[in-house]
Amino acid sequence: MTLLAANNLFKRFGSFTALDGVDLDLDRGERLVICGPSGSGKSTLIRCINRLEEPDSGTITIEGLPATDLQSLRRRVGMVFQQFNLFPNLTARENVAIGPRKLLGLSRAEADARAEALLDRVQLAGHADKLPSRLSGGQQQRVAIARALAMEPVLMLFDEPTSALDPEMIREVLDVMVELGEGGMSMIVVTHEMGFARRAADRICFMDQGRIVAMAPPQQFFEAPPHPRLVRFLENILGH
Amino acid sequence: MSFDWIAFFEYLPRLIRASGVTLQVSLLSLGLACVLAPILALSRLLGPTLLRSAVQAFIELIRGLPPLVVIAFCYFALPKLGLVLSGFWCGVLALGVVGAVYAAEIIRSAIESLGKGQLEAALALGFARWQAVLDILLPQALRRILPPLTNEFANLIKASSLLSVISVHEISQVGQSLIFETFVVIEILVQMAILYLIIIGTVTFISRRLEKGLSS
Ligand SMILES: Nc1ncnc2c1ncn2[C@@H]1O[C@H](COP(=O)(O)OP(=O)(O)O)[C@@H](O)[C@H]1O
Ligand SMILES: [Mg+2]
């Protein structure tokens, strides 16, 4: 069943065309990985989905409904940023609890309980009282995932969630994401972690110059890349 | 030259009374600034385009004028527009508006200096823009706002000396007339300096305590 349908999206920044007619569908429970060279429009695409960017033209529906109300759309779509963007003045627990408390009307106790459960789920049970500055990058990113999950989204967007991390912390974040996908969460993940894509994606798409130029299940994507530019991209990124 | 202690103590009571006026004007205009500044800052950050431009223009205008001109405008021009205020309340209004404008810029730039990421994180959770500013950004900005704001308030107290030109009997006005009456210069200047230092020092002390309270 279709969860997300984006049709013919265009987005320009000045004279530069960042999205050049993108169509994208996602089924409920599906995990899609987006890769492509820097500047190809990956961030712009997923930021259009939760309307951090407003597309110039095209339509996006989620659960069959166009976004009439930005706030309620964004509550149903979680987002994880490359730079974590945790609120530095709040503890891990407060970071996770503040959305449900301020936006969903949960009491402090209810929101805290939800936060504790989610921190537990991302393997941070003992860290609830710490400020972000006292957590490692990998831990911060897992708090950010828990913060997004706290709104009980139907779709999770990840924008290069491990690009800002030291190599030894990438694994702990990807493991949480794999588990999330196995639990049935619908996800769109912008990443260059091809191991993750192979392990966790249902489909992988390759963007170049504002377009989706290739889209395939992992096996086919890697063994028989359906586009010459993708072949070159994979050669670069896999280092051979 | 010797310091005349007798003259010093003879004129002290009058200057102490005047410092009461300085204190009143300063605190009232500070109160006005505290009410106006967040309104100006938030309309500039969140208001519809027209309001935003109007507020920005007003802020630039007041910041571009010497406070003395704003004071003179309130005193001489407002009555022509039908608003007659005593010198004292003119001073409160003028200094309050000047203080508010500078404080509004401090608040706005502190919020903007937090970076786009914080705002976007809040928006992505489903916060409306105004909610994100009030619930997420403002609490973070507070630590960056207070130190420069303290400076601004000290400036406000110093600027209250300008009210001598519209005959408000604050420290500078009373000090000046005493000097012209008595030709006792140094002693009176020293008194004025001490009184200003006490007032400004107290305000600074209180807000440093507030800063400490915030950061713990
Ligand atoms: N707010 C913006 N203003 C101007 N140009 C932008 C803006 N956001 C993105 N761009 C440009 O659009 C292009 C695509 O950006 P982005 O979607 O971030 O690419 P990617 O995530 O694939 O690296 C880039 O060349 C970038 O410079
Ligand atoms: Mg990007």
Side-chain angles (χ1 to χ4, degrees):
Chain A
M1 197 173 58
T2 303
L3 173 71
L4 167 82
N7 288 304
N8 211 19
L9 297 181
F10 282 85
K11 176 72 185 177
R12 284 180 200 85
F13 295 106
S15 63
F16 181 85
T17 303
L19 291 184
D20 193 8
V22 171
D23 293 309
L24 184 68
D25 287 324
L26 192 81
D27 282 341
R28 213 175 274 280
E30 194 181 10
R31 294 149 297 179
L32 175 74
V33 161
I34 301 177
C35 62
S38 166
S40 58
K42 307 179 298 293
S43 299
T44 306
L45 174 58
I46 63 169
R47 288 162 57 84
C48 279
I49 292 172
N50 74 349
R51 297 296 172 95
L52 285 181
E53 302 286 356
E54 198 59 37
D56 296 330
S57 65
T59 58
I60 302 173
T61 60
I62 293 174
E63 298 181 301
L65 303 168
T68 43
D69 165 19
L70 275 186
Q71 276 84 268
S72 64
L73 164 83
R74 288 178 180 148
R75 279 167 214 181
R76 289 181 299 142
V77 179
M79 179 132 185
V80 175
F81 300 86
Q82 182 175 346
Q83 299 297 341
F84 331 134
N85 293 347
L86 290 182
F87 307 130
N89 54 331
L90 303 181
T91 63
R93 180 193 296 106
E94 291 164 340
N95 261 281
V96 181
I98 193 163
R101 199 154 65 77
K102 300 271 182 187
L103 302 173
L104 303 178
L106 267 64
S107 71
R108 186 180 284 273
E110 290 166 331
D112 281 353
R114 182 181 288 193
E116 308 266 356
L118 283 166
L119 288 173
D120 198 22
R121 189 163 152 202
V122 298
Q123 320 291 334
L124 289 173
H127 301 276
D129 288 312
K130 291 187 185 166
L131 288 171
S133 56
R134 295 198 40 223
L135 297 170
S136 73
Q139 292 170 330
Q140 288 187 54
Q141 193 59 301
R142 285 182 281 145
V143 174
I145 294 172
R147 178 176 68 176
L149 290 174
M151 300 299 291
E152 303 190 321
V154 296
L155 169 64
M156 285 284 287
L157 307 172
F158 295 83
D159 192 357
E160 305 207 30
T162 58
S163 299
L165 295 178
D166 294 334
E168 69 271 18
M169 294 169 186
I170 292 178
R171 183 70 192 215
E172 64 191 46
V173 172
L174 292 179
D175 283 345
V176 165
M177 292 166 58
V178 168
E179 212 176 283
L180 193 59
E182 282 168 353
M185 176 60 75
S186 314
M187 300 163 53
I188 299 179
V189 184
V190 175
T191 184
H192 291 158
E193 293 293 331
M194 289 301 127
F196 169 82
R198 211 185 273 273
R199 185 153 67 120
D202 299 301
R203 281 187 300 162
I204 308 176
C205 87
F206 173 66
M207 283 188 78
D208 195 24
Q209 298 183 356
R211 296 200 180 130
I212 294 179
V213 295
M215 170 103 75
Q219 174 132 15
Q220 187 192 344
F221 190 88
F222 292 111
E223 327 250 287
H227 196 279
R229 251 177 296 175
L230 171 58
V231 177
R232 232 178 310 133
F233 177 76
L234 287 176
E235 278 170 6
N236 280 334
I237 206 170
L238 302 173
H240 46 69
Chain B
M1 192 187 79
S2 66
F3 195 87
D4 183 348
W5 286 103
I6 294 182
F8 184 86
F9 284 110
E10 188 179 343
Y11 303 124
L12 192 55
R14 278 176 71 183
L15 273 164
I16 287 179
R17 240 175 292 135
S19 65
V21 176
T22 292
L23 201 60
Q24 280 175 39
V25 170
S26 301
L27 288 180
L28 284 168
S29 54
L30 203 145
L32 180 62
C34 283
V35 174
L36 277 181
I39 296 176
L40 289 174
L42 293 177
S43 352
R44 227 194 123 170
L45 285 167
L46 296 169
T49 321
L50 199 65
L51 177 63
R52 230 184 290 180
S53 326
V55 168
Q56 181 171 355
F58 180 71
I59 290 175
E60 295 304 330
L61 172 73
I62 301 290
R63 289 212 310 165
L65 295 174
L68 188 59
V69 174
V70 181
I71 292 165
F73 178 87
C74 288
Y75 193 65
F76 296 110
L78 283 186
K80 302 231 155 74
L81 301 172
L83 184 62
V84 183
L85 295 173
S86 67
F88 179 87
W89 287 106
C90 255
V92 170
L93 179 63
L95 293 179
V97 166
V98 169
V101 155
Y102 283 92
E105 283 298 275
I106 291 169
I107 295 172
R108 182 185 64 87
S109 70
I111 286 178
E112 285 179 348
S113 76
L114 296 173
K116 211 166 56 129
Q118 291 293 308
L119 176 63
E120 287 189 344
L123 293 179
L125 281 174
F127 281 83
R129 241 184 127 73
W130 65 268
Q131 240 178 338
V133 169
L134 290 180
D135 285 341
I136 305 288
L137 301 184
L138 205 53
Q140 290 182 47
L142 225 47
R143 298 150 202 256
R144 301 184 194 203
I145 289 173
L146 216 47
L149 215 53
T150 307
N151 262 338
E152 242 355 276
F153 288 156
N155 286 341
L156 200 71
I157 297 168
K158 293 176 205 164
S160 71
S161 64
L162 298 169
L163 300 180
S164 56
V165 301
I166 55 170
S167 311
V168 176
H169 297 292
E170 44 68 57
I171 297 176
S172 296
Q173 197 272 343
V174 171
Q176 274 177 42
S177 22
L178 271 176
I179 289 172
F180 288 130
E181 270 170 42
T182 62
F183 300 105
V184 176
V185 179
I186 302 296
E187 289 75 6
I188 290 174
L189 284 176
V190 168
Q191 289 175 18
M192 290 165 64
I194 291 173
L195 291 170
Y196 275 122
L197 286 175
I198 290 173
I199 294 174
I200 292 171
T202 309
V203 169
T204 310
F205 175 78
I206 291 172
S207 77
R208 295 270 181 278
R209 291 295 292 265
L210 273 175
E211 270 167 52
K212 280 229 186 75
L214 270 182
S215 60
S216 65

